[in-house]
Amino acid sequence: MAQDAWLTRYDASCRLAREIAEKIHERDQQQFKGGNSAKLNFTIRSSLQNLREQINLLRESLMRASSSRQITHMEASSRQQLMDSLLTREKQLQASLVTNPESNRYSLTSGRSGPDSSNPWLMEESEETLDLDFSGLRQQQQRIIEEQDAGIDILSTVIARQKQMGLDIGNELEEQSEIIDDLAHLVDKTDDKIRNESRHVKLVEKKSASCGMLVAIVLLLVVIVVVAVWPTS
């Protein structure tokens, strides 16, 4: 049987996320060695945009399938958890993209946070901020803060959704338990009725047998009387 289209798209998105992670690692290695990573950064951004679009398609497809009852509530909850995990992974990749690995280069070699941690003006800039003025740097910092805030909001939404899913599952289990109790009560009542009807049938059978014997006795008495009074020639 062919695999579900939603799961196929989800698997492809997971592979894309792994490829992006590998490219970010390769980018970090290039920057650590002093290489030019502009091309890799462009490729990573394009891949992240594609991943975001795939996640949106997964969300829309899941909402349609759930609202039209093409999948069960439990399956919808399971797929929502998978999508939330993928969305969290996408936010982590976004954060990894804007992280500057140059700050780790000196800490690995000299145990300090930069070439001169006491003088921040001597620290090397990354390629992403090299051509930015003060206003541009401020805007980029604000954008990073907004992305982090958005990630926190998403995590908060995911946690709230998971809590609501737990409550929904608990309510559904309670409803199923009530239905099972009602069925058990109905089975008990049906069993009592069957036993009562069985007793009635046995009583009827006994009464029928007694009536038959009485009829036979009456017939025998009639025959005896007829034979007794019948004139003999």
Side-chain angles (χ1 to χ4, degrees), residues 168-186:
D168 292 340
I169 293 174
N171 293 334
E172 187 172 347
L173 290 176
E174 289 181 359
E175 292 177 359
Q176 296 293 334
S177 178
E178 291 177 358
I179 292 174
I180 292 174
D181 291 339
D182 292 340
L183 287 175
H185 180 65
L186 181 61

Side-chain angles (χ1 to χ4, degrees), residues 1-222:
M1 185 174 64
Q3 189 178 13
D4 186 274
W6 192 94
L7 294 176
T8 301
R9 185 183 297 275
Y10 171 78
D11 291 339
S13 300
C14 289
R15 288 194 298 271
L16 179 59
R18 287 193 295 269
E19 292 173 0
I20 294 173
E22 293 173 357
K23 286 185 175 64
I24 291 176
H25 179 70
E26 182 180 353
R27 190 271 322 253
D28 292 345
Q29 292 296 323
Q30 276 193 5
Q31 290 186 357
F32 181 80
K33 296 176 181 178
N36 188 355
S37 60
K39 184 177 180 180
L40 265 177
N41 281 330
F42 177 79
T43 302
I44 293 169
R45 287 192 177 91
S46 299
S47 299
L48 281 171
Q49 179 65 28
N50 185 19
L51 178 60
R52 192 178 303 111
E53 293 173 355
Q54 294 299 319
I55 293 175
N56 290 333
L57 291 175
L58 286 171
R59 182 187 294 107
E60 294 173 359
S61 177
L62 179 58
M63 291 178 61
R64 287 196 302 269
S66 180
S67 60
S68 60
R69 299 186 181 278
Q70 296 178 5
I71 56 177
T72 63
H73 177 73
M74 298 293 291
E75 179 65 19
S77 299
S78 177
R79 293 188 180 188
Q80 183 64 53
Q81 292 178 358
L82 292 175
M83 197 178 70
D84 290 342
S85 176
L86 183 60
L87 184 60
T88 302
R89 179 58 174 161
E90 187 263 341
K91 291 301 177 183
Q92 292 173 345
L93 292 173
Q94 288 281 4
S96 298
L97 176 62
V98 300
T99 300
N100 181 20
E102 280 294 312
S103 60
N104 297 328
R105 180 177 181 180
Y106 294 96
S107 62
L108 290 174
T109 57
S110 62
R112 295 181 297 173
S113 59
D116 189 351
S117 58
S118 62
N119 189 352
W121 296 101
L122 297 179
M123 294 180 64
E124 295 183 5
E125 280 194 87
S126 66
E127 296 179 358
E128 296 179 357
T129 61
L130 188 61
D131 298 329
L132 297 178
D133 56 10
F134 178 78
S135 177
L137 289 172
R138 185 174 181 179
Q139 290 178 358
Q140 185 186 42
Q141 183 181 18
Q142 184 64 29
R143 179 177 59 81
I144 294 173
I145 294 174
E146 290 176 354
E147 289 179 354
Q148 292 174 346
D149 291 341
I152 294 174
D153 292 339
I154 290 174
L155 289 176
S156 177
T157 303
V158 169
I159 293 173
R161 188 183 296 117
Q162 296 295 331
K163 180 180 179 181
Q164 185 61 41
M165 285 181 182
L167 294 175
D168 292 340
I169 293 174
N171 293 334
E172 187 172 347
L173 290 176
E174 289 181 359
E175 292 177 359
Q176 296 293 334
S177 178
E178 291 177 358
I179 292 174
I180 292 174
D181 291 339
D182 292 340
L183 287 175
H185 180 65
L186 181 61
V187 169
D188 292 338
K189 289 179 64 177
T190 304
D191 190 41
D192 292 338
K193 289 181 179 179
I194 291 174
R195 284 197 294 267
N196 291 334
E197 292 300 327
S198 298
R199 286 196 295 268
H200 291 161
V201 169
K202 290 180 180 180
L203 290 175
V204 170
E205 288 178 350
K206 289 181 179 179
K207 290 180 179 180
S208 298
S210 300
C211 291
M213 291 180 65
L214 289 174
V215 170
I217 293 171
V218 170
L219 290 176
L220 287 174
L221 289 174
V222 170

